[in-house]
Amino acid sequence: MKKVLTYLAAAMAVVSLAACTPSNISSAESTAVPEGVVASEGETMSLKDKPTVEYVIPEDAPTGVAGGPGVMETTAVDDSYYPEDKQSGNSAADEETVVCLYEVDDTGVIQTMSEVASMDADTLIAAMVKEGILAEGTEVTAFSQEGSTASITLNQLKPVYEEASEEQILACVVNTLTENMGLESLTVKAGDKDYGTQSFTNEYDAT
């Protein structure tokens, strides 16, 4: 019986030593993500290439009358290196100018914003048509500018908003062109009517 107990004790000692033997399995070191790189779904993108949007107000941009917003140029984001389903469709070469248009609602003449590809009378009038201020088919038939004065001839002067008066829609055209083109006065003709020389006015502003 004594021998059995001795063998049993020896066997338990062996098992205990085996349990305490250090494992020779070592954990692999994790690979550190390089600084400045973001990993997402198996793709990497350098933070230094992060797209940016530049908002630049030209030094010679008009500020408008009574603190008008003037003109602001924006540079589009170049996201061509994004996956196709993440692209916005803009190109870094695409540049647009934010302009302030004037329109009429039931409170009077108010401001609205739009974007145009270039700053000229034809584009501004086209933007007023697009935004539902001037009636479809309204076009510039003649325009001339000398310094801060200009004259414009339209084929018609009709508002989309039926309650707008002739004086209000005329003010919208004059305010839009003088505000964005830095004019002090604008001589306006539309159809067979001569409205004479006009300047920016807040007479019909919303109340």
Side-chain angles (χ1 to χ4, degrees):
M1 181 67 180
K2 188 174 180 180
K3 285 185 177 182
V4 172
L5 292 175
T6 301
Y7 290 143
L8 181 59
M12 291 179 66
V14 172
V15 172
S16 176
L17 288 173
C20 295
T21 301
S23 170
N24 55 12
I25 300 176
S26 60
S27 60
E29 292 185 6
S30 61
T31 303
V33 178
E35 183 179 356
V37 174
V38 176
S40 174
E41 296 180 356
E43 297 179 357
T44 60
M45 179 181 72
S46 174
L47 292 180
K48 70 179 182 179
D49 295 328
K50 182 178 180 181
T52 58
V53 180
E54 297 180 20
Y55 296 92
V56 181
I57 300 178
E59 293 182 0
D60 58 347
T63 57
V65 177
V71 181
M72 180 174 70
E73 293 183 356
T74 63
T75 302
V77 175
D78 181 9
D79 56 9
S80 58
Y81 54 83
Y82 283 134
E84 290 187 4
D85 60 340
K86 302 295 183 183
Q87 295 183 19
S88 65
N90 293 330
S91 167
D94 295 334
E95 293 187 0
E96 291 189 324
T97 301
V98 178
V99 294
C100 176
L101 306 181
Y102 288 81
E103 63 179 341
V104 183
D105 67 5
D106 57 357
T107 64
V109 173
I110 61 173
Q111 294 179 336
T112 187
M113 308 303 289
S114 186
E115 294 182 343
V116 295
S118 59
M119 181 67 67
D120 53 55
D122 291 279
T123 303
L124 290 171
I125 294 300
M128 295 182 74
V129 173
K130 178 182 177 182
E131 297 296 334
I133 302 171
L134 295 175
E136 286 286 343
T138 302
E139 297 178 349
V140 177
T141 58
F143 180 81
S144 62
Q145 179 179 353
E146 185 174 346
S148 60
T149 63
S151 62
I152 189 171
T153 302
L154 303 174
N155 62 334
Q156 61 182 12
L157 183 61
K158 297 179 180 179
V160 171
Y161 180 58
E162 294 181 353
E163 300 300 319
S165 67
E166 186 176 17
E167 291 77 11
Q168 286 177 319
I169 197 62
L170 174 63
C172 289
V173 171
V174 174
N175 286 2
T176 295
L177 269 70
T178 56
E179 171 87 4
N180 294 286
M181 301 184 70
L183 301 174
E184 293 182 2
S185 63
L186 179 68
T187 301
V188 182
K189 295 180 180 179
D192 57 358
K193 192 165 185 177
D194 188 341
Y195 293 95
T197 301
Q198 306 285 327
S199 59
F200 187 98
T201 179
N202 56 14
E203 180 180 354
Y204 308 103
D205 283 3
T207 55

